[in-house]
Amino acid sequence: MSINHLVSIADLSDLQVDSLLARAHEFADTTPRRGDLGSTPSACVQMLFYEDSTRTRTSFESAAARLGYSTCLVTASGSSVAKGESLRDTVLTLQASVDPTVLVLRHPENGAPAWVAQGAWCETAVVNAGDGTHEHPTQALLDALTLQRQFGRDGLAGRHIAIVGDIVRSRVARSNALLLPRLGMKVTVVAPPEMLPADIAEWGVGSSNDLDGVVSEVDAVMMLRIQKERMSAATRLDTHAFHAAYAMTTERAARLRPEAVVMHPGPMNRGIEISDEVADGPRSLIVQQVRNGVWLRMAVLEALAVGRG
Ligand code: NCD
């Protein structure tokens, strides 16, 4: 299976989603280590990160290493981006020096990866590793993989997930809202009114302001971080009120169905959207999400490298 770019979940056909998840399950079952797969074609993965990252960055690097691909990392600070070099000039420079097969791009502006992928000057396969408040497709795919490993490969249809918190600023919520219904899941986004996007009616998912009203009805909850760095200076946030109504506390977790699971893409703000007891408790899939991110990104990088021959 090959894909050209991965900018949005909407770029993928149902067949491509199924193939990527199937391949990621294979990797999860066999847990290949560095050097186990002397892959052909050998590829080079250029990581270009204009925003901070721990999980996404290291899991792409680990995925590439396990496939036998080389990587090169450029971050905004410490590169000529800090001197004002444009995104196009930076990509052209990397193409001339590194000649990457795949470009993994994280950027604060919505649409930056799509803009690069569409450029006549772009010679690489582009993966969106998070663009502004827009999308984070590999996160949604690893979340789907994690849910399938929990509930079974054919076990998602009819399951209900609540995605809770700062929805309006969350690229993770947006990509999951596009992906999980295609796998048969019922999605309800839950947030205070000011954290729900104005266009929520067009998302094609349920929405609620009442976490206590939905908590006992779901098979999974995905808690999100409050994205303070994306809030305007004028936005006043009452963290205590948010915590009281929307945090996954021990008391709320006790009202979940017995088999329900708790997820979080990280980084967590412990004590704000999730308590220590829940984050580290038996329902938590948070560490598995990170682990599954490696297998899922192996499948994505492989499909992109195959596409580039
Ligand atoms: C998220 C991101 O950067 O979009 N984290 C991640 O990639 N796992 C979510 C966040 O920053 O809150």
Side-chain angles (χ1 to χ4, degrees), residues 176-189:
N176 269 299
L178 286 171
L179 178 64
L180 299 179
R182 289 173 59 179
L183 300 172
M185 290 190 81
K186 176 179 174 185
V187 174
T188 303
V189 295

Side-chain angles (χ1 to χ4, degrees), residues 51 55-56 106 136 139 171-172 225 227 229 265-267:
E51 277 185 5
R55 276 152 288 272
T56 304
R106 170 167 284 199
H136 194 351
Q139 178 70 42
R171 53 200 178 200
V172 175
R225 182 175 69 90
Q227 314 234 331
E229 76 278 19

Side-chain angles (χ1 to χ4, degrees), residues 40-150:
T40 42
S42 182
C44 175
V45 178
Q46 175 66 54
M47 315 279 296
L48 178 55
F49 277 54
Y50 287 75
E51 277 185 5
D52 296 343
S53 173
T54 302
R55 276 152 288 272
T56 304
R57 183 190 132 181
T58 55
S59 69
F60 268 111
E61 288 178 329
S62 174
R66 288 165 203 260
L67 287 162
Y69 299 172
S70 61
T71 53
C72 177
L73 170 69
V74 169
T75 56
S77 65
S79 72
S80 289
V81 172
K83 300 178 189 170
E85 187 162 44
S86 74
L87 176 57
R88 179 173 176 274
D89 284 342
T90 304
V91 174
L92 288 174
T93 299
L94 295 170
Q95 285 182 173
S97 57
V98 180
D99 189 19
T101 323
V102 180
L103 175 73
V104 178
L105 176 62
R106 170 167 284 199
H107 199 280
E109 277 176 52
N110 293 7
W115 181 75
V116 171
Q118 285 155 16
W121 41 270
C122 174
E123 294 166 0
T124 73
V126 176
V127 186
N128 178 2
D131 60 331
T133 59
H134 178 230
E135 272 211 57
H136 194 351
T138 59
Q139 178 70 42
L141 287 161
L142 78 85
D143 291 332
L145 176 67
T146 303
L147 287 160
Q148 286 190 343
R149 292 194 78 75
Q150 182 70 19

Side-chain angles (χ1 to χ4, degrees), residues 285-303:
L285 297 183
I286 296 167
V287 175
Q288 284 96 310
Q289 285 175 273
V290 178
R291 193 88 182 128
N292 289 330
V294 176
W295 316 131
L296 184 279
R297 286 170 177 131
M298 286 181 76
V300 167
L301 291 177
E302 184 184 62

